[in-house]
Amino acid sequence: MTAELVRGQNHPLPHTRLEIRVTAGAPVMACATLGDAQGTVPGTDWIAHPGSPTLPGIEVSRQAAAGLRFHIDLEAVPERAHLVRVLLALPEGVGGPDRFGATVAPFAAVTSTDGTEVASFTLTGLDAESAVVALELYRRQGAWKVRAVGQGYAGGLAELFGDHGVPQAHAFATGVQETVARHLASTVQVPLPGAQDGVRVRPDGLPSPTTPGAAASTTQGAAAQPGPATQPGPAAQGGATVPQPGTGGTAGPGGAASGAAGGAGATAGAVNYTHPGRRTSAPPTPPPAAPPARPGEPPRPVAGDATGWSMDERLYNQVWGMFEDLARTVAAYRSAMDFAESRMDQELDRVLSDPRHRIGGAGDAAREAARAKHDQLAAQAREVLDRDLAQLVAECEVVEPALPAPYARWDNPVWHAYRVPMEIPMALRLGDVHLPERPELRIPMLVRLPLERGLWVDSGRSGSEAALMMDEAQLRGLAMDTAVALAGRLLAVYPPGEFTVHVIDPAGSAARSLAPLTASGVLDGPPAAGAAGVAAVLAKLTERVDLVQMAVRGGAAESLPPGLDTAEQLLIVNDFPHGFDDRGVTQLRYLADEGPAVGVHLLMVADREDAGAYGPVLDPLWRSLLRITPVPDDHLADPWVGHAWTYQPPLVPPGSRVLFQVLEQVAAARRSWRR
C-alpha cells in the first residue's frame, strides 16, 4: 500500500533498487547529493546534476523536464555516504517560471523497479522558492528509509548547496544552471500558442507534464501525464493508447525540438538521441562500446544503448527511447511548419491591412517576401527533420536484428533459432507504429507482461480506408489471423505450463485461421462451438477468477483446489456477440474487468457494430480493451504530444511456416513438462 507522506514523515524502503518519479507543472532540473554522517556534502563530486548525471548508485535526468526520473541503487551507494538528497530546481534564464509558487506543486513518487509505488509526496506550500529538497533517503540501523522534506530555498541552487556545505556553492550552482540553459536554448525556440509562462496547457486548462522540447514544439494535441508500466493514460482517437513502459524514461530526448529551432530560423545543433534513462556510465552489464565515428559525424548507434540490468531490458528501454525520439522530432517539425504558416499569414495580413499595399508593386513585393520567408523556414525545418530521421533510421537498422524473439517481427531470423524459454520476458511485441512523415520508419510496439488489459482486434469496416477497401469476410478472416499470430507469440514467450489458451468460435467460422493452434495441439481443448460450448468455457474461467480472487484476498493461496490451472489464461473470442446470451455477455464483461488481476486475459475478435443492440451496456467492455486492427490504422496516440500513430499488425509473412514450427516446439515442451 502506498504511503502518502507529509513534511517530516518517514517510511521504510522495502527495496534498494528504486525509481523516484517526479512530475511538475513546468520544466524542472533534477539533482541528487550524497551526504556524510553529519549531512554535509563534502564536495562537488558528491553531486549528480544534468552536466554530470551519475554517481555510484545514482542517476538523474540529463535535461530539465516536467517529468523526471531518478534511478537509485542503494546497495551501490558508497558506505561513507549516509543519505541521498533528491533536489529539484527551476532553470534560470530560459523564460520559464522563476518560483515554484507560480506553477503546480511538484509530485514525487518512490517506486520499485517494477513500477509498484512505495511512497509519495506532494510538495505543497512553496512560494518564492526556486530550489527545493524534495526527499531524503537515509540509513538507519542498517536499513534505508525515505523522509519527505520539502525544504525550499528562495536563493535557488546556490543557497541550497551552500546550506549543505558545498565548497564554492555559488560558482558551482551557476555552472549547473548554465549547462541546463545551453541545452534549452538549443531546443526551445518557438512558443506554442496557448502556453502560459513556458508551461504547456491542456485544453482543460491544466498544465501538462511534458519536457521542454515538447512544451515548445508540440502540436495542439493534448499531452497526457506519463505513468508507470503500461499504464496508458492518454486518450487516443479510437479510445486506445500506446502503452508505456515501466522502466523506460518519461522525459524525452532533446531531438524533438530541433525542428522548431530550424523553423524559427535559428541554427540547430546536433540532436542528442540519448534517452534520459540511458546510462552514460557502465550499467551492471555494460553494453557494447559504440564504434568510433568520423569527426563531425553523429555517434554510430549501438543495440542496447540504454539503461538496464539485462540486454533485454536495455533493448526494451532503447525501443521506447526511439519511440519518444520520433514523437518529439515530428512534433518539432510540425510545430515549425505551423510557425512558418502563421508567420506568413501575419505578414500577409499586415500587407492587406494597409490600403496602399493591396495593389501595385509594393504589395506584390511584400507578398513575395512573406512567401519566400515561409519557404526558407519550411526548408530549414525539413532539413532538420530529415537529419533527425536519418539518425533514427540508422538506429532502427542496428536494433531490429538484435531484438530477442518476444520483441522481434516474425520475419526475424531469431525465430528460426527459437527455443522454448524458461522464464517470462518483460515485454511482447504487438506490432509496429509509424508516422506519416516517414512511414517506412517503424517502431516496435512493446507492451509489458503479464498483460494488464485485454486486446480487441477490430474486424469492423468503419475504422480506416484500408478496412473499407476489403470484403467483409476477408477482413474478418484477417482479424482472426492477427489474433492467432498474437496468441502464438504469447504461447512462444512463456515457459511450458505457464500459459493456457482457450478459444470460443460459436459458428466454427475461424477453422482456417485457427489451424496453427489446433494442428499443433497447444490449445487447452478444441474450440468451443455453439451456445453450450460458449457457456461451458465462460463458466470455467469465471469460476477460476472467483476462486483465485477469494484465495488472494483471504491470504490462502495454498487452499486452491488441486486441479485448478494456475497458469496465465487467454480466452480468444471470435465473432462476438454471436452465440452469447445475456448471461454470457455479463460473464465476458466480468472477465474483462476482473480477469487481468488474477491472470485471465481476453483477446476478442469483434465488430462493435454487431453488438450495437446492447447499446451503452457494452461501452465499459470496449474501453477496457486495447483496440488493435488487422490492417494499418491511425487510431493510437502517444502520451507526450498526442500524435495519431498508424498501427501495423504483426502478421506472419505469406507462405511462411514459422508460426507452425514455433508452436510445434511449444507443444512438444508442454508434453514433456506434463510427464
Side-chain angles (χ1 to χ4, degrees), residues 357-380:
H357 293 163
R358 290 176 185 171
I359 58 175
D364 292 341
R367 283 188 283 269
E368 287 299 324
R371 293 191 181 96
K373 185 61 177 177
H374 168 272
D375 294 343
Q376 178 188 359
L377 294 176
Q380 290 175 347

Side-chain angles (χ1 to χ4, degrees), residues 60-124:
V60 303
S61 296
R62 298 177 63 90
Q63 58 186 0
L68 300 172
R69 293 201 185 193
F70 297 73
H71 299 272
I72 297 177
D73 181 4
L74 294 173
E75 291 182 351
V77 172
E79 285 293 330
R80 57 197 179 117
H82 289 259
L83 62 86
V84 178
R85 292 189 181 97
V86 174
L87 316 179
L88 305 175
L90 293 170
E92 297 176 358
V94 296
D98 59 358
R99 59 189 183 90
F100 279 110
T103 183
V104 176
F107 173 81
V110 182
T111 72
S112 60
T113 53
D114 62 2
T116 303
E117 194 167 292
V118 177
S120 64
F121 175 42
T122 302
L123 285 75
T124 57

